[in-house]
Amino acid sequence: MNGSCAGGTGAFIDQMASLLETDANGVNELAKGYQQIYPIASRCGVFAKTDIQPLLNDGADKEDIAASIFQAVVNQTIAGLASGRKIRGKIAFLGGPLYFMSELRQRFIETLEIAEEDVIFPQNPQLYVAMGAAFYSETNKMTSIDQLLDCLINGNGQQLIPTETLHPLFATEKELSEFQQRHQKATVKESSLTEFSGNAFLGIDAGSTTTKIVLIDGKGSILYSFYGNNEGEPLQKTIDVLTKLYQNMPADVLSLKHV
């Protein structure tokens, strides 16, 4: 599950960038203008979202959130990946994230208090792992791409057969049909908002990536609903949806109770 639990890696930064409606390079550019650092968990992308979403909801500057994301990666590396070992002496900055993101390097330098003469930033550091693999291959038997493909296609087949699999959700078409019929019973009645009068109740759920809004009457019937991506701006998305809702609200709706 590298995409959802990849603290301290480029995949983690990519995932957090989506919350800010940008890419990894955009996060780096934003971080250049930060004013303060917020505490953000980075052991897992899910944990980080729980910290970032309230900041977005409260209107925190994206520049500050971007720098805080990099600081979270630094904290995770020091506390988690380094396993408590002291990081000192000459320190080489290798790998894609540290090569492409100047502000991530800066967060490491400031946090570890690395002296300028102890920073090693060699040429093509993003390629060091690949270069190491190439040098390592010099001592091993060479295998061509064609040989690898032949092994996969015409080999004993073990590479293509999963050793452990889960049981299927539905073993037969009948089981699938029964499941669909059972779940189709769990429906909520809908009523027309334009023809409604009386008390209405509004529910809002601003999640990490989507915003859900529903308006119901006293009997639980749905008068209005919205489900969509918050585009990195959950507060503004909620305001936009509610503005549209109020514009279509009948004049004889007695009150709007928020939950």
Side-chain angles (χ1 to χ4, degrees):
M1 296 298 292
N2 193 50
S4 57
C5 289
T9 70
F12 173 84
I13 296 173
D14 287 337
Q15 189 181 25
M16 297 307 104
S18 66
L19 291 177
L20 301 180
E21 283 197 298
T22 185
D23 54 16
N25 183 62
V27 175
N28 190 69
E29 292 302 309
L30 286 169
K32 292 179 179 179
Y34 88 95
Q35 297 294 322
Q36 63 177 315
I37 298 292
Y38 296 104
I40 293 177
S42 68
R43 187 173 184 82
C44 177
V46 176
F47 296 161
K49 284 184 178 181
T50 356
D51 289 334
I52 293 176
Q53 196 60 52
L55 293 173
L56 290 171
N57 293 347
D58 292 339
D61 291 338
K62 288 188 175 181
E63 290 81 358
D64 293 340
I65 296 177
S68 301
I69 289 170
F70 285 151
Q71 186 63 51
V73 172
V74 172
N75 295 342
Q76 169 66 11
T77 302
I78 296 173
L81 301 184
S83 300
R85 295 178 177 85
K86 183 71 175 177
I87 301 177
R88 56 191 172 191
K90 301 289 184 181
I91 298 176
F93 288 83
L94 307 177
L98 289 169
Y99 171 70
F100 291 106
M101 301 174 195
S102 60
E103 301 312 297
L104 178 60
R105 295 198 302 272
Q106 189 59 34
R107 299 266 32 91
F108 268 107
I109 291 172
E110 292 184 15
T111 303
L112 295 172
E113 299 180 346
I114 309 172
E116 184 177 351
E117 61 270 19
D118 290 332
V119 174
I120 300 175
F121 192 57
Q123 184 179 9
N124 298 321
Q126 78 279 22
L127 303 177
Y128 260 54
V129 174
M131 292 165 62
F135 290 140
Y136 178 76
S137 70
E138 293 180 352
T139 61
N140 290 270
K141 181 181 178 180
M142 184 178 295
T143 303
S144 68
I145 293 294
D146 288 338
Q147 288 174 317
L148 288 174
L149 290 174
D150 181 67
C151 179
L152 289 171
I153 297 171
N154 303 314
N156 57 22
Q158 292 301 313
Q159 304 94 327
L160 305 179
I161 300 176
T163 54
E164 295 183 11
T165 60
L166 297 174
H167 294 295
L169 291 175
F170 312 106
T172 64
E173 287 292 333
K174 180 182 178 182
E175 289 184 4
L176 174 59
S177 176
E178 291 174 348
F179 169 83
Q180 292 173 334
Q181 291 177 15
R182 184 170 68 254
H183 279 257
Q184 285 172 357
K185 296 177 181 178
T187 58
V188 180
K189 182 180 178 181
E190 296 186 13
S191 299
S192 172
L193 175 61
T194 57
E195 300 174 0
F196 177 75
S197 63
N199 292 327
F201 302 83
L202 179 68
I204 301 173
D205 177 8
S208 60
T209 56
T210 59
T211 296
K212 287 78 70 177
I213 295 177
V214 64
L215 183 70
I216 64 174
D217 62 18
K219 297 181 180 180
S221 297
I222 295 177
L223 301 170
Y224 175 87
S225 66
F226 172 84
Y227 179 94
N229 193 295
N230 59 36
E231 300 171 352
E233 297 284 353
L235 180 59
Q236 187 58 50
K237 174 61 68 174
T238 300
I239 292 173
D240 293 343
V241 175
L242 290 183
T243 299
K244 181 180 178 181
L245 172 59
Y246 275 90
Q247 289 173 347
N248 296 302
M249 187 75 64
D252 52 354
V253 173
L254 300 181
S255 63
L256 189 65
K257 299 184 183 298
H258 299 73
V259 178

